[in-house]
Amino acid sequence: MIERYSFHERICHWTTAAAYLYCLATGLAFYTPHLFWLAVILGGGPTSRQWHPLLGVVFVAAVIWMHALWSKDVAIGPSDKEWLAKSEAYVTNDDAHVPPQERFNGGQKVFYWAMFWGALALFCSGALMWFPEYVPAGLRWIRPVAILVHECAALVTIGAFIVHIYMGVFVVPGSTEAMVGGRVTKRWAMTHHKLWYDRILRANK
Amino acid sequence: MSNGVLQIKAMSGHAGTVPGANTSRDYEVAKLIDVTTCIGCKACEVACLEWNGYPFRETQFDNTYQTMPDLAWNYYNLIRFDEHTTPEGTFQWLMRKDGCLHCAEPGCMMACPADGAIVQYANGIVDFNQENCIGCQYCVTGCPFNIPKFNAETKKVHKCTLCSDRVGAGLEPACVKACPTGCLHFGSKEDMLDLAEKRVDQLKEHTAHKNAGVYNPAGVGGTHVMYVLHDATNPEAYGGLPKDPKIPLLVRIWKGPLKWLGNFAMAGGVVAAFAHFMKFGPKKEHGGEEHADD
Ligand code: HEM
Ligand code: SF4
Ligand code: SF4
């Protein structure tokens, strides 16, 4: 077994995930009356409205923390362009035709950037929705604009999130264990992140 | 107007059907504000505070007789004062009682996400239930008249209730009761429209206000608080009454098409993931047989 995620990285990841999930549940409660019960079971409407923005700040802070840890690992490079060109092979599990990947593959990096920019958009629009009473009367039109931006950004992250969970839990066995325990088998590493694995081997020689 | 229970069902010593049999009552109420007879005395402002149990507050001078610049969470009713120069060059005070119009299609209610925070009664009154309000202020964004006001301390929003508590008991709203000139009227929506139209005819016939008209804007389905204006072609002159109020387009997009699109995309995403798993399943590890177990 080799180390894939340090303890620090795992704490950061799960802080992000917990804050995101809370915002997701309470956000969906405000999104549609059919899911308002989510706010009810999470302590009631006023409580949810009070904590959603606060946990949103935690989420954004955690994303920035994650960025500090992973900005090098998630920068789009040549191996990602190849991956994206061959993404059909990846999606159809035709893995023999997927080019070898770095620590994160092209798809994971796209997910990262969707979450990163989504988080910033959610934060900026969310701040306006948090304190709408401070939006000057002449700029009233900003209020519905902020809501639309917030909702669209949320939908983008939800789409990315569905794929993320699906990949991590169902499609790539061993990933969830990696994010919990921090370690993967060498075979897992060779299969999914060959370039990264080779780099580690070289570093350990 | 409160309800139909006092409709006569049977009568002693009466041949034939009873008076009023087979008639239905108009349950929709309305307040009519005839701004042409408002003298700006603010009796309605005081009555509103008294009935709702709010304290009197310091006025904010703004170069007019207006009590303060805008409505407040504990000030539902504000006479707006506007100095107006008529086309003939004479000076005119425009005084309009501002407050919730109790729209038939309320933007506040469309925008509100909280179960039961805003209700619309069969009689047309739109009422906020503060115990269900979550303080998001979406209603402020949805209202075309900028009426609901936020109490930052309790995180609840308030506005005119059209005295639903009085109307439910068969009384007129407190402001109507207090008005000394008879500029405020209360009754069924039908009767109030009728009265408004008669007053408009009178103004056109006997005064110089040839553009007099009723303000009952169709863009929000009509309102349960209506105005008679000297000049219905220029409602903006009356403290910015919008000419053609509509629920903001962005609010309608947000509560309409975007909801459907989002629901479809989210459900579609989960279904697509499941379908993908059925077709392709999990990835298999390959290569590195020598490391199979470590
Ligand atoms: C919503 C906030 C979250 C953010 C911003 C986030 C972000 C990330 C990022 C950037 C990675 C690096 C690899 C990648 O891009 O796929 C990652 C990995 C991972 N995440 Fe999340 N994550 C979130 C929530 C979750 C949740 C709720 C789960 C729960 C099941 C989860 C499971 C995983 C797994 C299993 C990995 C490891 C993937 C691998 O190493 O191949 N994530 N996460
Ligand atoms: S005037 Fe505003 S607050 Fe009153 S019912 Fe209409 S939308 Fe709601
Ligand atoms: S502030 Fe209260 S009444 Fe207004 S939209 Fe939010 S929950 Fe509804």
Side-chain angles (χ1 to χ4, degrees):
Chain A
M1 299 282 273
I2 53 175
E3 184 182 64
R4 175 151 173 82
Y5 298 116
S6 70
F7 184 63
H8 185 170
E9 285 172 324
R10 283 175 277 150
I11 292 282
C12 173
H13 175 266
W14 292 114
T15 307
T16 318
Y20 180 82
L21 281 179
Y22 180 85
C23 291
L24 179 66
T26 49
L28 284 177
F30 305 145
Y31 170 77
T32 165
H34 301 290
L35 293 176
F36 193 71
W37 57 269
L38 282 168
V40 175
I41 61 170
L42 288 171
T47 307
S48 300
R49 150 75 208 201
Q50 185 176 358
W51 286 96
H52 176 90
L54 292 172
L55 267 288
V57 169
V58 172
F59 170 65
V60 173
V63 166
I64 290 167
W65 176 15
M66 188 182 278
H67 195 73
L69 291 176
W70 282 350
S71 59
K72 277 212 197 73
D73 293 317
V74 293
I76 307 272
S79 64
D80 305 309
K81 302 238 165 74
E82 283 171 43
W83 187 95
L84 290 171
K86 288 265 163 39
S87 58
E88 200 189 326
Y90 186 84
V91 169
T92 54
N93 286 357
D94 177 14
D95 291 330
H97 292 104
V98 178
Q101 291 296 297
E102 263 300 336
R103 186 176 186 202
F104 297 125
N105 71 34
Q108 291 175 311
K109 292 182 187 177
V110 169
F111 167 77
Y112 177 85
W113 290 108
M115 274 294 177
F116 181 81
W117 291 111
L120 292 191
L122 285 165
F123 178 73
C124 296
S125 54
L128 287 168
M129 293 162 70
W130 197 356
F131 300 109
E133 61 270 34
Y134 295 113
V135 177
L139 296 175
R140 260 176 72 84
W141 56 270
I142 282 195
R143 299 170 60 146
V145 170
I147 297 174
L148 285 186
V149 169
H150 199 73
E151 196 158 308
C152 291
L155 286 171
V156 168
T157 68
I158 291 170
F161 182 68
I162 292 171
V163 177
H164 182 67
I165 302 294
Y166 170 57
M167 296 301 296
V169 176
F170 296 100
V171 180
V172 185
S175 303
T176 308
E177 291 85 338
M179 199 37 97
V180 176
R183 295 185 326 147
V184 291
T185 61
K186 288 179 182 152
R187 217 174 153 213
W188 186 98
M190 286 183 78
T191 305
H192 301 296
H193 301 277
K194 184 85 169 58
L195 300 177
W196 170 70
Y197 177 67
D198 292 347
R199 201 150 43 79
I200 293 198
L201 276 193
R202 259 178 276 125
N204 286 352
K205 264 203 185 119
Chain B
M1 252 142 307
S2 53
N3 50 45
V5 291
L6 291 185
Q7 191 153 1
I8 292 169
K9 191 170 120 195
M11 258 169 126
S12 63
H14 185 82
T17 50
V18 297
N22 297 325
T23 58
S24 66
R25 294 198 179 194
D26 182 2
Y27 287 102
E28 282 191 42
V29 298
K31 175 161 74 187
L32 177 65
I33 301 169
D34 179 2
V35 304
T36 65
T37 52
C38 175
I39 55 169
C41 71
K42 305 183 186 177
C44 54
E45 290 186 9
V46 175
C48 179
L49 288 183
E50 289 204 322
W51 178 258
N52 291 299
Y54 291 136
F56 291 95
R57 41 191 291 159
E58 263 178 51
T59 57
Q60 269 169 273
F61 184 66
D62 197 16
N63 284 316
T64 75
Y65 292 114
Q66 199 165 309
T67 306
M68 53 195 174
D70 200 3
L71 298 160
W73 74 265
N74 53 4
Y75 214 88
Y76 300 161
N77 175 3
L78 179 72
I79 304 292
R80 293 197 177 268
F81 286 74
D82 279 277
E83 295 180 25
H84 182 65
T85 315
T86 62
E88 298 80 47
T90 59
F91 173 77
Q92 188 185 13
W93 269 118
L94 298 182
M95 289 161 288
R96 176 177 67 90
K97 175 172 148 41
D98 194 14
C100 174
L101 299 194
H102 298 270
C103 311
E105 290 155 19
C108 56
M109 197 169 78
M110 177 187 265
C112 177
D115 198 351
I118 302 179
V119 296
Q120 185 179 39
Y121 298 117
N123 68 6
I125 294 181
V126 177
D127 224 352
F128 283 19
N129 283 333
Q130 278 77 25
E131 70 270 26
N132 293 333
C133 171
I134 65 170
C136 63
Q137 302 180 62
Y138 285 178
C139 51
V140 183
T141 304
C143 173
F145 303 96
N146 193 16
I147 298 298
K149 291 285 174 279
F150 183 59
N151 177 347
E153 233 160 80
T154 59
K155 309 255 186 275
K156 305 285 180 188
V157 168
H158 299 254
K159 67 157 191 72
C160 159
T161 65
L162 204 63
C163 284
S164 55
D165 45 355
R166 291 174 58 91
V167 172
L171 299 170
E172 75 279 65
C175 54
V176 178
K177 186 162 177 93
C179 178
T181 67
C183 131
L184 302 181
H185 305 264
F186 185 75
S188 74
K189 167 109 188 190
E190 223 178 307
D191 287 351
M192 291 304 106
L193 261 179
D194 217 45
L195 192 65
E197 272 149 23
K198 289 215 175 79
R199 174 63 179 157
V200 165
D201 290 344
Q202 199 181 32
L203 285 167
K204 284 184 173 161
E205 206 171 315
H206 300 294
T207 72
H209 303 305
K210 301 303 174 206
N211 289 331
V214 185
Y215 188 82
N216 175 33
V220 291
T223 54
H224 293 89
V225 171
M226 299 181 288
Y227 295 102
V228 169
L229 304 176
H230 321 78
D231 183 1
T233 63
N234 186 18
E236 272 99 354
Y238 298 82
L241 200 55
K243 190 163 197 157
D244 185 18
K246 283 198 182 76
I247 300 174
L249 178 66
L250 291 175
V251 172
R252 280 178 285 146
I253 292 177
W254 158 40
K255 289 290 172 173
L258 190 58
K259 290 278 122 96
W260 288 109
L261 214 76
N263 293 343
F264 188 76
M266 286 191 283
V270 173
V271 171
F274 189 70
H276 180 272
F277 195 69
M278 287 193 297
K279 182 134 171 69
F280 298 106
K283 286 191 179 292
K284 295 197 176 48
E285 295 178 8
H286 53 80
E289 259 65 39
E290 64 276 22
H291 296 306
D293 297 315
D294 55 357

